Amino acid sequence: MDHIRVTRRARTALAIAAGTVLTAVAAQIPANATAAPAAPHGATAASIARHSSISVGAYDDTYYKDAVGKTGQALKDALHRIISSTQTGKLTYSQVWDALKDTDQDPANSANVILLYTGRSQSKTANGGNPDDWNREHVWAKSHGDFGTDTGPGTDIHHLRPADVSVNSTRGSKDFDNGGTEVGEAPGNYTDDDSFEPRDEVKGDVARMILYMAVRYDGGDGFPDLEPNDQVGNGTQPHIGRLSVLKQWSKEDPPNAFEQRRNQVIFDKYQHNRNPFIDHPEWVDAIW
C-alpha cells in the first residue's frame, strides 16, 4: 500500500509540472486571441495538443468579460449567468450517446472513445448495458438532487462521460473522497461504502465537472440547486462531497489537452457553453 501511494504521489507531481508548462504557454497568448476550431475526427495527439494551447485568457474579452476581476459569490453569479444563457444547445438523453462519441474520442484512434475511470480505449459502437460495454456516467450522480435524465442536468454533457458499465456501477451514486479499496477492474480507482476515488489522471476532470454543475444549476429552470459540501453520504440531497478533496484534486491534476479539447467541442458543436474551471482553474479557489 505504501508503494502504491508513493507512486501515485509521483504521478501527481508530474501532473503539476505538466500543468505549469501548459499555463506558462497559455499566459503568452493575447487576451483577444481567437479560439481554435474543434479538432476533427481522427485528430492526432499532436494536433490536439496544439488545439488546446489556447486556453487561459482566450475568451476573457468576449465570453468571460462580465466575470473577469470578480471573486466569491459575485464571480459565481456572473459565471452562472454566462454559462446558462449561452447554453443554447440542449440534448436529449438519447442524443448524449453520439455526443460522447465525439467529445471523448480517443486522439490516437478515431473509432474509439476513452473511458473515464479505466482509461481504456474502446470502440464507439461497444456502448450499451453489458458488463464490458460503456455507458453514460453522470459524474454528478443524478440521484443527488433526483434530476433524472430529462433534458437539463441529466443530459448536460459537461458532466457526462463514457465509463465501463460495471465500474460505473461500482461508483454508483457515491460521493468523491480519498481512500478505500482498489477497484479490481479499474486499478488506480478506490472505493469504500460511501465514497469513490478516481484514478489520478482524471481527478481534476472530476472536480471541475462537479464544480461546473454547482455553478450552472442554482435552483432555477425548475431544477434543484446543486452545491458541493465537505461531507460524504449525501444521499438524495442535491449535494456532493467532499469539497476540500475536490479542490485539492483540481490543483493536483490541472486541465490537459484531452479535457480542453472536450470543452471546446462542447462549446463549438453541442451546448455552446463552456466549463469555466477548465479555462480558468484558479477560479475554483476564487469561489470556494
Side-chain angles (χ1 to χ4, degrees), residues 100 104 113-117 134-135 137 160-164:
L100 293 182
D104 290 73
V113 292
I114 300 293
L115 307 191
L116 177 63
Y117 299 128
W134 64 267
N135 62 3
E137 156 72 331
L160 285 162
R161 298 288 291 267
D164 177 275

Side-chain angles (χ1 to χ4, degrees), residues 22 25-26 29-30 32-37 48-59 260 264 274 279:
L22 179 59
V25 170
I29 300 169
N32 61 355
T34 301
I48 288 181
R50 289 194 299 271
H51 167 81
S52 70
S53 64
I54 297 179
S55 56
V56 178
Y59 288 92
Q260 290 172 328
Q264 192 68 39
R274 304 184 67 82
D279 294 325

Side-chain angles (χ1 to χ4, degrees), residues 199-276:
R199 59 193 177 101
D200 291 347
E201 294 81 359
V202 296
K203 279 182 164 68
D205 305 49
V206 166
R208 287 180 285 274
M209 286 186 279
I210 291 294
L211 299 177
Y212 160 87
M213 292 291 282
V215 171
R216 170 61 185 87
Y217 299 99
D218 69 347
D221 302 331
F223 298 113
D225 183 3
L226 305 182
E227 284 294 335
N229 61 14
D230 210 37
Q231 64 187 51
V232 295
N234 280 294
T236 60
Q237 296 300 309
H239 308 300
I240 278 186
R242 189 177 300 268
L243 177 58
S244 58
V245 172
L246 293 170
K247 290 174 63 178
Q248 186 62 34
W249 288 355
S250 185
K251 292 175 183 176
E252 292 174 348
D253 175 36
N256 63 12
F258 186 91
E259 190 181 3
Q260 290 172 328
R261 175 195 177 271
R262 188 176 197 279
N263 196 28
Q264 192 68 39
V265 172
I266 293 172
F267 178 69
D268 288 339
K269 298 177 63 175
Y270 295 100
Q271 295 184 181
H272 312 302
N273 68 343
R274 304 184 67 82
N275 182 332

Side-chain angles (χ1 to χ4, degrees), residues 42-43 48 104-114 121-122 124 258:
I48 288 181
D104 290 73
Q105 178 174 288
D106 182 348
N109 184 348
S110 63
N112 287 8
V113 292
I114 300 293
S121 178
Q122 184 155 325
K124 291 178 177 179
F258 186 91

Side-chain angles (χ1 to χ4, degrees), residues 5 10 12 23 25 27 35 51 69 81 97 111 138 146 151 154 177 189 216 219 223-224 233 235-236 245 253 274:
R5 293 296 178 183
T12 295
T23 302
V25 170
H51 167 81
R81 289 191 294 270
W97 286 119
H138 291 79
D146 194 26
T151 297
D177 197 2
N189 298 265
R216 170 61 185 87
F223 298 113
T236 60
V245 172
D253 175 36
R274 304 184 67 82

Side-chain angles (χ1 to χ4, degrees), residues 5 8 115-119 137-141 144 162-204 206-207 209-210 231-234 240-243 245-246 249:
R5 293 296 178 183
R8 293 167 74 209
L115 307 191
L116 177 63
Y117 299 128
T118 61
E137 156 72 331
H138 291 79
V139 177
W140 185 295
H144 289 237
D164 177 275
V165 168
S166 53
V167 176
N168 191 352
S169 179
T170 297
R171 187 264 158 145
S173 60
K174 295 173 182 175
D175 293 86
F176 292 104
D177 197 2
N178 289 315
T181 302
E182 189 168 38
V183 179
E185 192 176 354
N189 298 265
Y190 296 81
T191 191
D192 56 23
D193 291 341
D194 55 18
S195 70
F196 189 87
E197 177 186 350
R199 59 193 177 101
D200 291 347
E201 294 81 359
V202 296
K203 279 182 164 68
V206 166
M209 286 186 279
I210 291 294
Q231 64 187 51
V232 295
N234 280 294
I240 278 186
R242 189 177 300 268
L243 177 58
V245 172
L246 293 170
W249 288 355

